[in-house]
Amino acid sequence: MLTKRTVTIANHRGEMLHGVLSIPDQDVSNKRLLIFFQVGIGTKTGVGDYLRIVADRLSSAGLTVLRLDQSGTGDSQGELPDGISIPELFRQVQSGYFKEDSLAVIDWAAREFSGYQIYLLGECGGCISLTLAGAERMDLIDGVLMMAFPVLYSPQENTGKTPVREFDARVTMQGYLRKLMSPRSYARLLSGKSDWGLMLQSARVLMARLINDALKKCGFLRTGGHPDHERFNWEVFSAFQKLVKNGKPILFLLPQLDNETQEFDAELRDKVLLKSDIYAKYCRYAYLPETDHSIMFQYSRDLLCREILDWFNTLENSSHV
């Protein structure tokens, strides 16, 4: 059994953020509060209502869970920036647009749930919000969970078209190569129904990667030890380092059908996290097979809940808590 309660939290501009608390039965409560920080332009329900479903399941297992609408989304007051593209809005979120909202929520939670351990769970842009805010409220939080943590900025729209990312390019070209074996595909190609622009852009992305890898193997480019400096979010990484250096346990939840996971592995895990003992001590990685960014399907929700609860069980038997 669990109880639900609506809450309102004032942010730094006096706007009221609306949220829902899922409160477990006292017989299973473990004095832990988990706060969901959603993707940035979504709502407290998540795609396909998955945030509500996951929150209720975690609460049934003993966690108190708060999910809320950030300013300008859902039931909360405020407005999102007007007249900009979705990629540019994502870049603003990745630059800390919801940081102040997050600070207000953490401060509220510390007052309302005195004596509780407070954990922060973010999805995509929500990881940015909680990292920047958590680094400023180190004494109030006990750990963080990062789902689809974006380590690179979203591509800018320089030509009016969103650049194709490497993972998407690979999937696109694999699809077209498979279609080469089908006569019906040639008919579609000759009739002009195929997206030549997407095909050519994907080919360019993959060719650039091949050339870059070849130059590295020949010794013309430095390899390893550094992320993509042009697009890496250094402010967020510095805040993340602060969390780790202060002994905050971190769980990375990584959907394997997601661009963010490919970039996380290549630019952060392989080049940075696996090269230092302190990251090995405090960071844990949970890969979610057959799961995409939305987490909306039952299999993905089940896996997500299991990994989160397993992590908390591990913390109970470790020196982190």
Side-chain angles (χ1 to χ4, degrees):
M1 294 292 295
L2 60 91
T3 302
K4 290 188 182 180
R5 177 162 62 92
T6 58
V7 299
T8 55
I9 303 167
N11 69 5
H12 61 297
R13 292 186 293 266
E15 298 162 341
M16 302 309 296
L17 310 178
H18 287 255
V20 175
L21 273 169
S22 295
I23 305 170
D25 184 87
Q26 289 301 311
D27 290 339
V28 296
S29 178
N30 54 23
K31 297 293 182 181
R32 285 196 182 115
L33 172 66
L34 178 63
I35 306 174
F36 281 3
F37 292 84
Q38 39 99 332
V39 64
I41 58 172
T43 68
K44 58 182 175 293
T45 61
V47 178
D49 214 20
Y50 98 87
L51 274 178
R52 178 191 63 80
I53 297 170
V54 169
D56 290 351
R57 287 187 55 181
L58 293 176
S59 184
S60 296
L63 293 169
T64 300
V65 181
L66 172 63
R67 50 191 171 87
L68 68 152
D69 296 326
Q70 296 166 133
S71 56
T73 69
D75 297 319
S76 293
Q77 296 177 345
E79 294 184 4
L80 292 174
D82 193 20
I84 64 174
S85 65
I86 290 295
E88 181 56 34
L89 178 56
F90 282 151
R91 287 179 69 85
Q92 289 196 28
V93 172
Q94 288 175 297
S95 298
Y97 183 82
F98 290 115
K99 172 186 169 183
E100 297 298 330
D101 278 5
S102 305
L103 288 169
V105 172
I106 294 171
D107 291 341
W108 175 90
R111 293 192 303 269
E112 295 293 321
F113 288 88
S114 177
Y116 274 63
Q117 295 175 345
I118 296 176
Y119 292 85
L120 315 178
L121 188 157
E123 179 186 6
C124 192
C127 297
I128 304 299
S129 306
L130 74 83
T131 300
L132 293 173
E136 292 191 17
R137 295 293 189 270
M138 200 75 64
D139 56 325
L140 300 182
I141 68 170
D142 294 274
V144 298
L145 302 87
M146 311 276 204
M147 183 161 56
F149 180 44
V151 299
L152 302 182
Y153 277 116
S154 294
Q156 288 182 307
E157 292 182 297
N158 297 322
T159 62
K161 294 184 178 180
T162 303
V164 174
R165 299 163 85 169
E166 185 178 333
F167 181 64
D168 288 331
R170 191 180 305 118
V171 171
T172 297
M173 293 308 295
Q174 286 173 349
Y176 277 114
L177 289 173
R178 284 195 300 270
K179 290 177 181 178
L180 288 177
M181 307 302 294
S182 170
R184 295 178 60 184
S185 297
Y186 285 99
R188 180 179 176 84
L189 185 67
L190 294 173
S191 67
K193 294 181 180 179
S194 294
D195 190 338
W196 279 94
L198 177 61
M199 215 187 316
L200 292 173
Q201 198 173 2
S202 297
R204 284 199 297 269
V205 168
L206 295 182
M207 184 60 68
R209 167 57 67 183
L210 289 173
I211 293 172
N212 188 65
D213 289 344
L215 290 172
K216 285 181 178 179
K217 288 181 180 179
C218 294
F220 292 108
L221 289 180
R222 188 169 51 145
T223 60
H226 62 286
D228 183 338
H229 292 280
E230 297 272 331
R231 296 172 52 212
F232 198 65
N233 193 328
W234 287 104
E235 181 184 2
V236 174
F237 179 60
S238 297
F240 166 75
Q241 283 185 311
K242 187 176 179 181
L243 290 170
V244 174
K245 290 177 180 178
N246 281 270
K248 304 301 179 184
I250 297 172
L251 173 63
F252 290 105
L253 296 153
L254 302 162
Q256 290 194 307
L257 301 180
D258 192 351
N259 263 312
E260 309 290 4
T261 296
Q262 317 301 317
E263 294 171 353
F264 174 89
D265 286 348
E267 295 297 334
L268 185 59
R269 188 200 63 177
D270 294 351
K271 293 182 178 179
V272 179
L273 303 184
L274 296 183
K275 296 181 180 296
S276 172
D277 291 340
I278 190 169
Y279 297 123
K281 181 177 181 181
Y282 293 110
C283 296
R284 176 175 166 181
Y285 313 95
Y287 287 88
L288 311 179
E290 299 180 31
T291 298
D292 67 0
H293 200 86
S294 69
I295 323 288
M296 67 179 292
F297 300 105
Q298 180 178 345
Y299 169 80
S300 300
R301 298 194 305 261
D302 292 346
L303 187 56
L304 178 66
C305 289
R306 185 165 69 246
E307 291 291 353
I308 291 173
L309 293 174
D310 284 349
W311 184 69
F312 277 116
N313 289 334
T314 300
L315 290 183
E316 288 182 356
N317 300 315
S318 73
S319 59
H320 293 318
V321 295

Coordinates of all heavy atoms in Angstrom, one line a residue, residues 205-241:
V205 N 29.0 11.3 -41.9 CA 29.3 11.1 -40.5 C 30.2 9.9 -40.3 O 31.2 9.9 -39.5 CB 28.0 11.0 -39.6 CG1 28.3 10.6 -38.2 CG2 27.3 12.4 -39.6
L206 N 29.8 8.8 -40.9 CA 30.5 7.5 -40.7 C 31.9 7.6 -41.4 O 32.9 7.1 -40.9 CB 29.7 6.4 -41.3 CG 28.4 6.0 -40.6 CD1 27.7 4.8 -41.2 CD2 28.6 5.8 -39.1
M207 N 32.0 8.3 -42.5 CA 33.3 8.5 -43.2 C 34.2 9.3 -42.3 O 35.4 9.0 -42.2 CB 33.1 9.1 -44.6 CG 34.4 9.2 -45.4 SD 35.1 7.6 -45.7 CE 33.9 6.9 -46.8
A208 N 33.7 10.4 -41.7 CA 34.5 11.2 -40.8 C 35.0 10.4 -39.7 O 36.2 10.5 -39.3 CB 33.7 12.4 -40.3
R209 N 34.2 9.5 -39.1 CA 34.7 8.6 -38.0 C 35.8 7.7 -38.5 O 36.8 7.5 -37.8 CB 33.5 7.9 -37.5 CG 33.8 6.7 -36.5 CD 34.7 7.2 -35.3 NE 33.9 8.0 -34.5 CZ 34.5 8.6 -33.4 NH1 35.7 8.4 -33.1 NH2 33.7 9.4 -32.6
L210 N 35.6 7.1 -39.7 CA 36.6 6.2 -40.2 C 37.9 6.9 -40.4 O 39.0 6.4 -40.1 CB 36.1 5.5 -41.5 CG 35.0 4.5 -41.4 CD1 34.5 4.1 -42.8 CD2 35.4 3.3 -40.6
I211 N 37.9 8.1 -41.0 CA 39.1 8.9 -41.2 C 39.8 9.2 -39.9 O 41.0 9.1 -39.7 CB 38.8 10.1 -42.0 CG1 38.4 9.7 -43.4 CG2 40.0 11.1 -42.1 CD1 37.8 10.9 -44.3
N212 N 39.0 9.6 -38.9 CA 39.5 10.0 -37.6 C 40.2 8.8 -36.9 O 41.3 9.0 -36.4 CB 38.3 10.5 -36.7 CG 38.8 11.1 -35.4 OD1 39.5 12.1 -35.4 ND2 38.5 10.5 -34.3
D213 N 39.5 7.7 -37.0 CA 40.1 6.5 -36.4 C 41.4 6.1 -37.1 O 42.4 5.7 -36.4 CB 39.1 5.3 -36.5 CG 38.0 5.5 -35.5 OD1 38.1 6.3 -34.6 OD2 37.0 4.8 -35.7
A214 N 41.5 6.2 -38.4 CA 42.7 5.9 -39.2 C 43.8 6.8 -38.8 O 45.0 6.4 -38.6 CB 42.4 6.0 -40.7
L215 N 43.5 8.1 -38.6 CA 44.6 9.1 -38.3 C 45.1 8.8 -36.9 O 46.3 8.9 -36.6 CB 44.0 10.5 -38.3 CG 43.7 11.0 -39.7 CD1 43.0 12.4 -39.6 CD2 45.0 11.2 -40.5
K216 N 44.2 8.3 -36.0 CA 44.7 8.0 -34.6 C 45.6 6.8 -34.7 O 46.7 6.8 -34.0 CB 43.5 7.7 -33.7 CG 42.7 8.9 -33.3 CD 41.5 8.6 -32.4 CE 40.8 9.8 -31.9 NZ 39.7 9.5 -31.0
K217 N 45.2 5.8 -35.5 CA 46.1 4.6 -35.5 C 47.4 4.8 -36.1 O 48.4 4.2 -35.8 CB 45.3 3.5 -36.4 CG 44.1 2.9 -35.6 CD 43.5 1.8 -36.5 CE 42.3 1.2 -35.7 NZ 41.6 0.2 -36.6
C218 N 47.5 5.8 -37.0 CA 48.8 6.2 -37.7 C 49.6 7.1 -36.8 O 50.7 7.5 -37.2 CB 48.5 6.8 -39.0 SG 47.8 5.7 -40.2
G219 N 49.0 7.6 -35.7 CA 49.8 8.4 -34.8 C 49.7 9.9 -35.1 O 50.4 10.7 -34.5
F220 N 48.8 10.3 -36.0 CA 48.6 11.7 -36.4 C 47.7 12.5 -35.4 O 47.8 13.7 -35.3 CB 48.1 11.9 -37.8 CG 49.1 11.4 -38.8 CD1 48.8 10.3 -39.5 CD2 50.2 12.1 -39.1 CE1 49.7 9.8 -40.5 CE2 51.1 11.7 -40.1 CZ 50.9 10.6 -40.8
L221 N 46.9 11.7 -34.6 CA 46.0 12.3 -33.7 C 46.3 11.7 -32.3 O 46.5 10.5 -32.2 CB 44.5 12.1 -34.0 CG 44.0 12.9 -35.2 CD1 42.5 12.6 -35.4 CD2 44.2 14.4 -35.0
R222 N 46.2 12.5 -31.3 CA 46.3 12.0 -29.9 C 45.1 11.1 -29.6 O 44.0 11.4 -30.0 CB 46.4 13.2 -28.9 CG 46.7 12.9 -27.5 CD 47.0 14.1 -26.7 NE 45.9 15.1 -26.9 CZ 45.5 15.9 -25.9 NH1 46.1 15.8 -24.7 NH2 44.6 16.8 -26.1
T223 N 45.3 10.1 -28.9 CA 44.3 9.1 -28.5 C 44.1 9.0 -27.0 O 45.0 9.0 -26.3 CB 44.5 7.7 -29.1 OG1 45.8 7.3 -28.6 CG2 44.7 7.8 -30.6
G224 N 42.8 8.9 -26.6 CA 42.5 8.5 -25.2 C 42.8 9.7 -24.3 O 43.5 10.6 -24.5
G225 N 42.2 9.6 -23.1 CA 42.5 10.5 -22.0 C 41.8 11.8 -22.0 O 41.9 12.6 -21.1
H226 N 41.0 12.1 -23.1 CA 40.3 13.3 -23.1 C 39.0 13.2 -23.9 O 38.9 12.5 -24.9 CB 41.2 14.4 -23.8 CG 41.5 14.1 -25.2 ND1 42.4 13.1 -25.5 CD2 41.0 14.6 -26.3 CE1 42.5 13.1 -26.8 NE2 41.7 14.0 -27.4
P227 N 37.9 13.9 -23.4 CA 36.7 13.8 -24.2 C 36.7 14.8 -25.4 O 37.8 15.4 -25.7 CB 35.6 14.3 -23.2 CG 36.3 14.3 -21.9 CD 37.8 14.5 -22.2
D228 N 35.6 14.9 -26.1 CA 35.5 15.8 -27.2 C 35.4 17.2 -26.6 O 34.4 17.7 -26.2 CB 34.2 15.4 -28.0 CG 34.0 16.3 -29.2 OD1 34.6 17.4 -29.3 OD2 33.2 15.9 -30.1
H229 N 36.5 17.9 -26.6 CA 36.6 19.2 -26.0 C 35.6 20.2 -26.5 O 35.1 21.1 -25.8 CB 38.0 19.8 -26.1 CG 39.0 19.0 -25.3 ND1 39.2 19.1 -24.0 CD2 39.9 18.1 -25.7 CE1 40.2 18.3 -23.5 NE2 40.6 17.7 -24.6
E230 N 35.3 20.1 -27.8 CA 34.5 21.1 -28.5 C 33.1 21.1 -27.9 O 32.4 22.1 -27.8 CB 34.4 20.9 -30.0 CG 35.8 21.1 -30.6 CD 36.0 22.5 -31.0 OE1 35.1 23.2 -31.3 OE2 37.2 22.9 -31.1
R231 N 32.6 19.9 -27.6 CA 31.2 19.7 -27.2 C 31.0 19.2 -25.8 O 29.8 19.0 -25.4 CB 30.5 18.8 -28.2 CG 30.5 19.3 -29.7 CD 30.0 18.3 -30.6 NE 28.7 17.7 -30.2 CZ 28.3 16.4 -30.4 NH1 29.1 15.6 -31.0 NH2 27.2 16.0 -30.0
F232 N 32.0 18.9 -25.1 CA 31.9 18.4 -23.7 C 31.4 19.5 -22.7 O 32.0 20.6 -22.8 CB 33.2 17.8 -23.3 CG 33.1 16.8 -22.1 CD1 32.4 15.6 -22.3 CD2 33.7 17.0 -20.9 CE1 32.3 14.7 -21.3 CE2 33.6 16.1 -19.9 CZ 32.9 15.0 -20.1
N233 N 30.5 19.1 -21.9 CA 30.0 20.1 -20.9 C 30.9 20.1 -19.7 O 30.7 19.4 -18.7 CB 28.5 19.8 -20.6 CG 27.8 20.9 -19.8 OD1 28.4 21.6 -19.1 ND2 26.5 21.0 -20.0
W234 N 31.9 21.0 -19.7 CA 32.9 21.0 -18.6 C 32.3 21.5 -17.3 O 32.8 21.0 -16.2 CB 34.1 21.9 -19.1 CG 34.9 21.2 -20.1 CD1 34.9 21.5 -21.4 CD2 35.7 20.0 -19.9 NE1 35.7 20.6 -22.1 CE2 36.3 19.7 -21.2 CE3 36.1 19.3 -18.8 CZ2 37.1 18.6 -21.4 CZ3 37.0 18.2 -19.0 CH2 37.5 17.9 -20.3
E235 N 31.4 22.4 -17.3 CA 30.8 22.9 -16.0 C 30.1 21.8 -15.3 O 30.2 21.6 -14.1 CB 29.8 24.0 -16.3 CG 29.2 24.6 -15.0 CD 28.2 25.7 -15.2 OE1 27.9 26.0 -16.4 OE2 27.6 26.2 -14.3
V236 N 29.3 21.0 -16.1 CA 28.6 19.9 -15.5 C 29.6 18.8 -15.0 O 29.5 18.2 -14.0 CB 27.6 19.3 -16.5 CG1 27.0 18.0 -16.0 CG2 26.6 20.3 -16.8
F237 N 30.7 18.5 -15.8 CA 31.6 17.5 -15.4 C 32.4 18.0 -14.2 O 32.6 17.1 -13.3 CB 32.7 17.3 -16.6 CG 33.7 16.3 -16.2 CD1 33.4 15.0 -15.9 CD2 35.1 16.7 -16.2 CE1 34.4 14.1 -15.6 CE2 36.1 15.8 -15.9 CZ 35.7 14.5 -15.6
S238 N 32.7 19.2 -14.0 CA 33.3 19.7 -12.8 C 32.4 19.5 -11.6 O 32.9 19.1 -10.5 CB 33.7 21.2 -12.9 OG 34.6 21.4 -14.0
A239 N 31.1 19.7 -11.8 CA 30.2 19.5 -10.7 C 30.1 18.0 -10.4 O 30.0 17.6 -9.2 CB 28.8 20.1 -11.0
F240 N 30.1 17.2 -11.4 CA 30.1 15.7 -11.2 C 31.3 15.3 -10.4 O 31.2 14.5 -9.5 CB 30.0 15.1 -12.6 CG 30.3 13.6 -12.5 CD1 29.4 12.7 -12.0 CD2 31.6 13.1 -13.0 CE1 29.7 11.3 -12.0 CE2 31.9 11.8 -12.9 CZ 30.9 10.9 -12.5
Q241 N 32.5 15.8 -10.8 CA 33.7 15.5 -10.1 C 33.6 15.9 -8.6 O 34.1 15.1 -7.7 CB 34.9 16.2 -10.7 CG 35.4 15.6 -12.0 CD 36.6 16.4 -12.5 OE1 36.7 17.6 -12.5 NE2 37.7 15.6 -12.8

